[in-house]
Amino acid sequence: MNDKPSVTMETDEDARNQARTLMHKAAHAALAVIDPETGFPSVSRVLIADDADGVPVILVSGLATHTRALLKDARASALFGEPCKGDPLAHPRLTVRCSAERVDPQSDAHERIRGRFLERHPKSKLYIDFPDFCFFRLIPLDASLNGGFGRAYILSSEDLVIL
């Protein structure tokens, strides 16, 4: 029997809005993947944009370790949120557990995502069409929101994407 009180609060519309804002306004995120050679977690910084349904999208090189990891194991986590002045742990942050889905370069989705990514990151025009680069949609499974001191929430995938 567990008599400890829960440290998470009931997810409400304010928490959903804060989580969506952290995710959709982010220009970059920390992406955690599972290294297929060692089985250890590995973290990289990636540029982020979002698809029309609110799903985060990354553009990655096939030469990168995190790309090879995602092609072997689609499980990943992304950390959104920027520490500001003062204590970095006092600022909101969102960890999203997701399944990475490679976008077929011949699909209509690819052209839509490419346009949205360029809108968000115009400098990526320099490399976006290199043959080794590809997009992944990071399909949210669930998330953990630390909305500031004493404000912790667990969110579902439905809480994060536009249905």
Side-chain angles (χ1 to χ4, degrees), residues 69-83:
L70 291 175
L71 291 170
K72 296 255 188 212
D73 188 334
R75 293 177 296 169
S77 290
L79 175 64
F80 299 90
E82 282 298 310

Side-chain angles (χ1 to χ4, degrees), residues 1-158:
M1 184 150 178
N2 188 354
D3 294 333
K4 290 183 180 179
S6 174
V7 295
T8 59
M9 300 176 68
E10 186 172 332
T11 302
D12 58 17
E13 203 54 36
D14 287 341
R16 288 181 193 93
N17 288 334
Q18 185 177 30
R20 289 180 195 133
T21 298
L22 284 167
M23 194 167 70
H24 300 305
K25 293 204 183 258
H28 56 85
L31 178 71
V33 296
I34 299 167
D35 185 306
E37 292 179 23
T38 65
F40 278 89
S42 178
V43 180
S44 300
R45 186 176 310 276
V46 292
L47 294 179
I48 292 280
D50 57 355
D51 202 352
D53 59 358
V55 168
V57 175
I58 58 174
L59 173 66
V60 292
S61 167
L63 303 174
T65 304
H66 52 263
T67 305
R68 292 192 304 271
L70 291 175
L71 291 170
K72 296 255 188 212
D73 188 334
R75 293 177 296 169
S77 290
L79 175 64
F80 299 90
E82 282 298 310
C84 300
K85 210 172 192 179
D87 182 355
L89 298 181
H91 299 283
R93 55 207 178 271
L94 177 72
T95 301
V96 180
R97 288 189 326 152
C98 46
S99 180
E101 175 184 275
R102 188 172 187 274
V103 177
D104 180 350
Q106 305 304 315
S107 69
D108 291 338
H110 183 272
E111 282 308 304
R112 178 186 68 243
I113 290 168
R114 182 183 181 280
R116 293 177 70 89
F117 201 90
L118 282 170
E119 199 174 292
R120 188 66 172 282
H121 302 286
K123 290 183 180 179
S124 68
K125 186 167 179 57
L126 297 170
Y127 51 84
I128 198 168
D129 295 321
F130 285 2
D132 67 304
F133 275 74
C134 64
F135 291 106
F136 280 90
R137 285 171 38 96
L138 302 179
I139 312 296
L141 303 174
D142 58 23
S144 171
L145 170 65
N146 182 321
F149 185 76
R151 296 181 54 229
Y153 304 90
I154 301 299
L155 294 99
S156 69
S157 60
E158 292 82 17

